[in-house]
Amino acid sequence: MTAPELSQPMPRTRKRMNATYRWWWVFQRVSGVILVVLIFTHLFVNLMMGDGVSQIDFAFVAGKWAAWYWQVIDFVMLLLAMLHGTNGMSYLINDYARSRRSRAILQAILGIAAVVIIVLGSLVIWTFEPCPVDATGAFLPGVPSGCPFN
Amino acid sequence: MWVVHRVTGVAIFFFLVVHVIDTSLVRVSPEAYNEVIGSYKTPLYGLVEAGLVAAILLHAFNGLRVIAVDRWTWALRHQRMLVWIVWALFAVGMAGFLPRHLMHVFGGAA
Amino acid sequence: MIEHEYDVVIVGAGGAGMRAALESSQRARTAVLTKLYPTRSHTGAAQGGMAAALANVEDDNAEWHVFDTIKGGDYLVDQDAAEILCREAVDAVLDLEKMGLPFNRTEEGKIDQRRFGGHTRDHGQAPVRRACYSADRTGHMILQTLYQQCIRQQVEFYNEYYVLDLLLTEDPQAAAPGEEVAVAGVVSYELATGEIHVFRAKSVVFATGGAGKIFKTTSNAHTLTGDGMGIALRAGLPLEDMEFFQFHPTGLAGLGILLSEAARGEGGILRNSEGERFMERYAPTIKDLAPRDMVARAMANEVREGRGAGPHKDYVLLDLTHLEPAHIDAKLPDITEFARTYLGVEPYTEPVPVYPTAHYAMGGIPTTVQGEVLRNNTDKVTGLYAAGECACVSVHGANRLGTNSLLDINVFGRRAGIAAAEHALATAEAAPLPANGEARLVEIVERLRATASGGGTESVAGLRKELQETMDRNVQVFRTAESLAEATAVVADVKARYANVAIHDRGQKYNTDLLEALELGFLIDLAEVTVAGALAREESRGGHYREDFPTRDDDKFMKHTMAYATGEGVRLDYKPVTITTYQPMERKY
Amino acid sequence: MTAVDTAPAQVGGVPSMTVTLRIRRLNPEGVGDHAAGEDYWEEFQVEAHATDRVLDALHKIKWEQDGSLAFRRSCAHGVCGSDAMRINAKNRLACKTLLKDLNPAKPILIEPIAGLPVEKDLIVDMEPFFASYREIMPFLMPSGPAPERERLQSPEERERFDDTTKCILCAACTTACPVFWTDGQYFGPQAIVGAHRFIFDSRDEGQWDRLEILNDKAGVWKCRTAFNCTEACPRGIEVTKAISEVKKVLNTGEI
Ligand SMILES: Cc1cc2nc3c(=O)[nH]c(=O)nc-3n(C[C@H](O)[C@H](O)[C@H](O)COP(=O)(O)OP(=O)(O)OC[C@H]3O[C@@H](n4cnc5c(N)ncnc54)[C@H](O)[C@@H]3O)c2cc1C
Ligand code: HEM
Ligand code: SF4
Ligand code: F3S
Ligand code: FES
């Protein structure tokens, strides 16, 4: 009688693995940790310090973004939050969209929205003009009082 | 807890979208921005804002719990306790924020 | 009716069925029919271990194992079969290890072994560590490992297909001695649809497990209704040694859930209400590790003589409190949890109430050592095989040693699988199916289903309860002519009323009500042959203890019972025991 | 009669009580006013002891009141995995849940496990569940020629995967997982438990094949650490821990 071939070794090689899902999973965690710091500072500065929410106006924003580090901080926050949020939303779409088609459509919408928001947001942060002027060179109404009059 | 994390995540996401759009108005004109921001300074919106902060706090603390659970076996074994800690931190955070915020919203608008 | 054709059909996907399938499916086209998903089979409930003289932890050899098996079986063992069992044991264990079974390990990384009842060194000198184990879930690991290998080999399973009839070319009782009777196939009922499927095959292997549900208090699953044995009996084949039923000493009192003998192997002690280690009186050498029949009788005797524990003085105590909790957790995690869950007893600090529970059918479908089924003392049924608890080789004789059954299913499951496949390969064409072969089953099913709409007055559960209670009361550890006569009468009454049984579910799909009724039919038939065999065997041997004939009578009863179902009731015949090396001696421990 | 009376022992006198069970039913062929495939609740009352299991109560209903009630069961003591069901909104084995551990004053809610197609009453189609299990190649894949005796493995190496060897494939975990409910693409926690058992077995060489499968779309990254699985597991397997160990291996590349 032949011995059973029950424990014959199987030839195999270690393959390169698709990193997409893992990468996003890690990103979700890393960005989460960084976001905690950023968002808490953001909230604290905007809502808790000084006059809280009522202090926020153009002047407040202008005051902040006058400093380059606030620009950097807010940009990083925007980017991470959007990527983190977008990926999170994409998880949800995957989970809840019933058909292949609706899944593809929703993912596309999400992707476009994310790109638009990120581009828009970064433009705003980086090209911010604390003392905007109109076509004639006059200051727009509402500019901060600190803007130089020339 | 998983549901809470999902719901808060989605809420924050939508807020963030709106928030970026309104902030981008600073590029349009200071007046437009101030106008929109001004409309946020109603008591109703103040409450919405409070809800938003609540969502962020919850999502953040719970997010940290999830990260901890994935990282350390100890946290994994004590995850139930960590859930309570998340709620406790959330309560503390809200206790620190709410009175001040509501004061600004209802009292300090002038 | 739907027809299928295979080389080999295996009925049952427990340890024996899947071990056979692994062999058969790599040689021939094989289907496995099982009434449960394979992983639900009761092999998964086995706890303590699987015997093999690996000698990993102390001196041991197959010869001693053979002797213990024969002596443990009170010399009713066929010694040629016992030799095969014990010699092939080492490979059976190593095969399982190679398939991935996670045995507990020694410090050197070898398979660990523990003590078990009746297993001794050097012909009874002292207990020996022979049971290979995986905590107290050895059977679970065997079942999982075999299932995993079946997945790997892509074995074809028909899950939730109840085999309910066997098709033979001739009526085996009408056929003359020497005349060929061959298997043609089996008839099965698909639970999901209620459809009847006929499987034609060159070889059929029965591996349908035990029949513990003829008793009320049992360690066996609700589904262990002895279908395979019942089918064989109805098809005109004999059943061997059915009066030998093992009562396991340590069932949770009142429930029957098993606490493995490993509990005693690891140092647990049985005590009566006075706290006395009473086994010292019954088996001075190996005390609590005496064979099961002796321990079960000792316990019942303690209770009978008023030394039972508890408010009704109707159980004894299994004491583990002197063992380290860490040791208990490492070696006996599941059974201690059973005590906590079901009795609310904490085994670290309290002794556990236990009482004998119906556990294992030593008897079954008679086979040769290749698993070939016999239709009388000598003639085989061509193409029909049986292995596992439903078969009787006979390696367990009058009393099975603990850990020898997991061994049995692996050794003889493998042998039956190989033999079935090789027979199929050597056979050009399966025997022709008898015309209308499924008619017998269809008729029964239709009749039962019709009762759901009226007619029929007896309830399945009610009859089953009466049957089980009488078996518990009269055919348990102690038996007498009187108690057996009472059981005979009750079984006959239940059988008569069974003709009038009614079910509720009139549906086709998942009609479990209908199947419980069919299973009850088998239980009744098996109870009948069990009682008949017990009444005729006027001696005490192994698991069969007659108070009116308290000694073993080798002159009259050194022979296997062969019970046949005939139109006029049970007919008993006898078959000689194969003795090769060991002459019967008095059994003392 | 001289044989000893071996009527079942009663451990302490347990008083009996009436309990109500509300069972989620479905008949694929229709019954009474209920159309084929319609699901509905039905209430039953049974006399039971506090120490009875939910399975005993279900049997009482089936055997004394309504034989058409369909559910799976076999071993009746929590080792075969047949009777996972939702009892008071939690996945458990009916044979391991004692009535005294539920609130007997309120009806006990019994439903089939969620996320798998219901066939009849409490019976669901287990095929998708077993398909996921088969997917992760749950069998030892050693390399090199088999040794003559056993492959050696130290007690410490054996201990690493002990927890996940206990799985009885009952599906309580997978059908409690909210991610499994949502889309049905997720293999579910059981498949990861099944893979874990081999990934951490020192004798196995097929880990990376399994890890590759679990690293993919339907694999471990879908787990949201909801812990429902760990809470549901009747064998006390730390399912979420097993999942997290698999994630760690994928992240670090080391086993
Ligand atoms: C609680 C307990 C503990 C035990 N512990 C040990 C131990 O430690 N050591 C030891 O050696 N032995 C032990 N035993 C005994 C041993 O486990 C069994 O004898 C053995 O597992 C039987 O295996 P089997 O393959 O014959 O049957 P089973 O595993 O019972 O399988 C029977 C199979 O047949 C199928 N089947 C049944 N009827 C039909 C039908 N009509 N149609 C289709 N399919 C059908 C079932 O679906 C199932 O797949 C123990 C037994 C019990 C109950
Ligand atoms: C404040 C710090 C934050 C932390 C610590 C954090 C943490 C996390 C973590 C760890 C996850 C992954 C959960 C899992 O895989 O189980 C996650 C998911 C998610 N996050 Fe955040 N997050 C933060 C901020 C944000 C913000 C600002 C948004 C919105 C833009 C957001 C939206 C989401 C969404 C939608 C998900 C997916 C939820 C799911 O799939 O269940 N998070 N978050
Ligand atoms: S891990 Fe636990 S809950 Fe899940 S199938 Fe296995 S035993 Fe059941
Ligand atoms: S419930 Fe599901 S989400 Fe993960 S922790 Fe368990 S698999
Ligand atoms: S019936 Fe076996 S697990 Fe419940």
Side-chain angles (χ1 to χ4, degrees), chain C residues 10-19 32-51 114 116 131-132 136-139 142-143 146 158 160-165 187-189 206-211 218-221 223-229 231 246 248 256-262 292 338 357-361 387-391 396 400-410 515 519 522, chain D residues 74 77 79:
Chain C
I10 294 172
V11 184
M18 290 202 284
R19 192 68 187 80
V32 182
L33 275 56
T34 165
K35 75 176 183 181
L36 304 170
Y37 276 87
T39 55
R40 314 295 182 225
S41 304
H42 211 54
T43 293
Q47 302 166 351
M50 170 167 168
R114 61 157 65 128
F116 239 81
C132 309
D136 54 358
R137 356 184 205 270
T138 316
I142 291 180
L143 191 69
L146 292 174
Y158 287 83
E160 302 193 320
Y161 275 61
Y162 285 65
V163 170
L164 296 168
D165 207 353
V187 189
S188 78
Y189 175 100
F206 269 48
T208 55
T218 172
S219 65
N220 284 197
T223 47
L224 283 183
T225 48
D227 306 0
M229 303 176 194
I231 292 165
Q246 179 166 79
H248 193 293
I257 295 172
L258 195 76
L259 302 185
S260 171
E261 202 167 294
R292 291 176 178 173
F338 296 154
T357 179
H359 184 56
Y360 183 87
E389 194 170 336
C390 73
H396 307 307
R400 169 178 74 90
L401 287 190
T403 68
N404 264 358
S405 172
L406 290 178
L407 179 58
D408 174 10
I409 62 178
N410 278 288
L515 283 155
E519 289 170 340
F522 295 127
Chain D
S74 182
H77 64 287
V79 296

